[in-house]
Amino acid sequence: MTDTGDRLNTIFASIFGDEASSLSASDGITTVAAWDSASQLDLIMAIEAEFEVYFEVAELSELTSVGAIRNRLLQLRD
Amino acid sequence: LKPAEYHAASRKLQEDRAHQESELHVAVLSSNSLEFLNPFLIVEAAERGLFISTFYSPYGQVEQVLLQADSFQVRQPDVIVVALRIEDQVADAFLRSRRRNGKSLQDIGEQCIERLMQCIEIIRRTSEAHILVANFSLPFEENNARLFDANYPGGCSHTIEKTNFDLATAVSELSGVAIWDYAGLVRENGSRDWTDQRLWQVARQGIATANRPQTAAHLVSTIDSLLKPRSKCLVLDLDNTLWGGVAGDDGLQGISLGDDHPGLAFKKFQRAVLSLADQGILLSICSKNDEDLVRRVIDSHPDMLIQWDDFLAAKVNWLPKSENLKAIAADLNIGLNSLVLFDDNPVEREEVRINAPAVDVIEVPSSPIDYANALFSSGRFDTPSLSHEDLQRSDYYRTETKRRNLGSTFASVDDFLASLQMTAAMGSASNETFGRIAHLLAKTNQYNLTTRRHSQARVATMTDSADWDVRWIRVADRYGDNGIVGITITNYDGTTARIDSLLMSCRVMNRHVEDAMMADIVNRARERRAERVIGEFVPTERNAVVADFYLARGFKEVQTSAGTGHCFEIDIVQLGHGIDWPDTIAIDGNET
């Protein structure tokens, strides 16, 4: 999971800026300033491309915290 | 760059250039918000050396934004992109194109064109910006007749093509307006995955993330081609560029050029080169070789499509290519920055980049199969419209070389000029000539008194105003028609006629064409009861040749606070007569 964590951090930093390069599991749309409903979609699309996964339309607006994203990625890769 | 990386790159660019001023203001007005393209546009523009600031209309509010005077005009965009989608106008325009009642797809397409024309009209009330209008694409999901849609002349795919044709026709009649080929962009990248239905349904984003880099690159390239003067001359290497192998080693029989592999790639590349020549691009050779040998190859190889005479200049020798390129520019009397080099040898390309950095050097791919694509996708020869002058350009330059050869056999310059049998016609700017006038204003550097780069739209506005007089001169001689080669723009204020712009193509320098233009200005000023004519000289790095233009024509330098350069004045009441039209040029026709 460290590898996944690093890759996720790189994506957070690209989409939200350098201050988002080491987020904790509880961080998300309510704690990161640049994380809003528009950048949420950019984030999910970047994760899809990086991890070669596909999220259902309902998930696009549900995966709004670092923890939720990590858990879902784990599930998808099992 | 991956799509996600554009966000970081764009943030960095914006931080780095917080203090820089020279920005291009781009406004994007669309029936669907395109704001999500912003980081992609900023990064792709910077790739091309353009630093842009952007403005987006809220989704669907094109006219509202245009009509809100203070919010929009204050920004004074340099480029305005208007992108309407047919499916935004009427949601089921494509899906229910066969319904019995209501508007057909064609009607809705026509409505969209009308709406675009209205937008352009509103923009032109206050702005002379370049305008790009997107054409229309058929959404993959909405083509419900898939396999047989193309069977119906009235089907979606034919109707959309017809609509795009009509849009192009309407736009071709307007100054300073061009098409952004959105339909071509979607076609090139594939319409099937163009839209991510999830992003569309959730956020009304019509372009999938993976397609955003290409979309931004396409739009920015289109803008870049509008703003940058088109390159004039393609300079080609020979060995392993126009044919495979080395003529000096492999001989006429040994080089690869023909209808089978491996010669086919080179033959195909030659066709691509000729297609540019057809559009007015001048061709030249720059090759480290023996001239007799390569002439033999070019003249006698049966599959050689480009002929020796197609090259306006040929530098076949062992000098550094940078020097040869400078010599080609001098021979053709064009700027070094009008040259594009295509050379397979990376060492030569590097030498030119270092020693002649103004030359555009195309990065040539390793396989000749990809040459033609590299040539076209360089974008250096793209132009929104081709004028009569563009198409004739090779002939002009060829006859100019003949003229210069003739010049050396005459006793006096006037003997030579008389032998040219020059005729000139002058006229006022009109729809047919706006394009050429704007082109000369944008590209003339040397014989240009003020170097004011008025846009095509600005020229149109001036032409409509009684205070301005925009004039062109067309010159022909025994060798052919030179086309429109000079422009004068005069502003009238009471009894003062001020020459805002006076410029001429260097092709006709030293032939008294400038005196004909001066005679025209003064005579028209007299007709309008002006009392004095004021000329300006604004020095630049390139126009020293015209520093004494007015002094040599009886003007006196005057001190003035107005204007940016030196001012010269002639009192035409005191003069008592007009300025004589030069003897060596006959007046052609009665266009005035």
Side-chain angles (χ1 to χ4, degrees), chain B residues 380-437:
Chain B
R380 299 309 295 129
F381 306 108
D382 294 346
T383 178
S385 62
L386 283 172
S387 67
H388 175 71
E389 278 77 10
D390 287 325
L391 299 175
Q392 304 291 322
R393 188 173 294 121
S394 296
D395 293 336
Y396 295 147
Y397 281 87
R398 199 164 287 124
T399 49
E400 181 58 25
T401 315
K402 277 192 209 155
R403 265 177 219 120
R404 279 199 228 158
N405 294 340
L406 186 69
S408 53
T409 65
F410 285 90
S412 78
V413 175
D414 279 349
D415 280 356
F416 163 63
L417 291 178
S419 79
L420 288 178
Q421 298 162 15
M422 278 187 284
T423 59
M426 296 203 64
S428 295
S430 63
N431 255 328
E432 296 71 45
T433 50
F434 287 153
R436 174 63 180 164
I437 291 170

Side-chain angles (χ1 to χ4, degrees), chain B residues 142-164:
Chain B
E142 300 190 12
N143 180 2
N144 59 1
R146 296 279 152 95
L147 291 181
F148 293 109
D149 180 64
N151 272 23
Y152 308 113
C156 290
S157 49
H158 296 300
T159 305
I160 200 96
E161 277 170 26
K162 167 81 168 58
T163 307
N164 283 335

Side-chain angles (χ1 to χ4, degrees), chain B residues 65-266:
Chain B
V65 166
L66 285 175
L67 292 165
Q68 260 163 20
D70 28 332
S71 83
F72 186 62
Q73 289 161 21
V74 166
R75 288 182 180 84
Q76 298 208 325
D78 304 295
V79 179
I80 301 175
V81 182
V82 187
L84 301 183
R85 304 191 319 172
I86 287 178
E87 60 272 35
D88 296 333
Q89 184 92 1
V90 177
D92 53 10
F94 292 103
L95 284 173
R96 302 204 54 206
S97 61
R98 278 181 202 77
R99 85 182 109 199
R100 300 234 184 98
N101 309 314
K103 289 214 156 80
S104 69
L105 177 58
Q106 185 171 342
D107 293 337
I108 299 165
E110 280 168 14
Q111 268 180 8
C112 282
I113 295 179
E114 260 171 50
R115 205 177 144 197
L116 284 169
M117 294 300 124
Q118 264 168 18
C119 290
I120 292 168
E121 193 268 318
I122 299 172
I123 292 170
R124 280 287 175 255
R125 288 181 204 162
T126 56
S127 165
E128 286 153 3
H130 292 278
I131 302 176
L132 278 175
V133 294
N135 59 9
F136 307 110
S137 168
L138 168 57
F140 180 80
E141 311 73 23
E142 300 190 12
N143 180 2
N144 59 1
R146 296 279 152 95
L147 291 181
F148 293 109
D149 180 64
N151 272 23
Y152 308 113
C156 290
S157 49
H158 296 300
T159 305
I160 200 96
E161 277 170 26
K162 167 81 168 58
T163 307
N164 283 335
F165 176 87
D166 291 343
L167 177 65
T169 308
V171 161
S172 70
E173 287 168 14
L174 302 170
S175 311
V177 187
I179 302 259
W180 171 33
D181 188 12
Y182 184 78
L185 165 72
V186 176
R187 194 171 54 236
E188 273 175 30
N189 291 281
S191 69
R192 182 188 293 267
D193 294 320
W194 187 253
T195 299
D196 182 328
Q197 286 305 314
R198 295 171 303 167
L199 296 183
W200 169 248
Q201 307 251 334
V202 171
R204 293 284 180 264
Q205 296 181 351
I207 302 173
T209 309
N211 295 320
R212 292 175 192 177
Q214 292 93 309
T215 304
H218 192 272
L219 178 55
V220 169
S221 299
T222 308
I223 292 172
D224 198 29
S225 296
L226 276 186
L227 301 177
K228 261 197 204 148
R230 182 187 189 215
S231 296
K232 283 181 179 166
C233 178
L234 172 62
V235 184
L236 296 151
D237 175 49
L238 296 176
D239 289 333
N240 286 316
T241 298
L242 285 192
W243 55 70
V246 177
D249 297 338
D250 304 324
L252 181 63
Q253 311 299 326
I255 60 170
S256 303
L257 180 63
D259 292 317
D260 300 299
H261 179 74
L264 180 57
F266 294 97

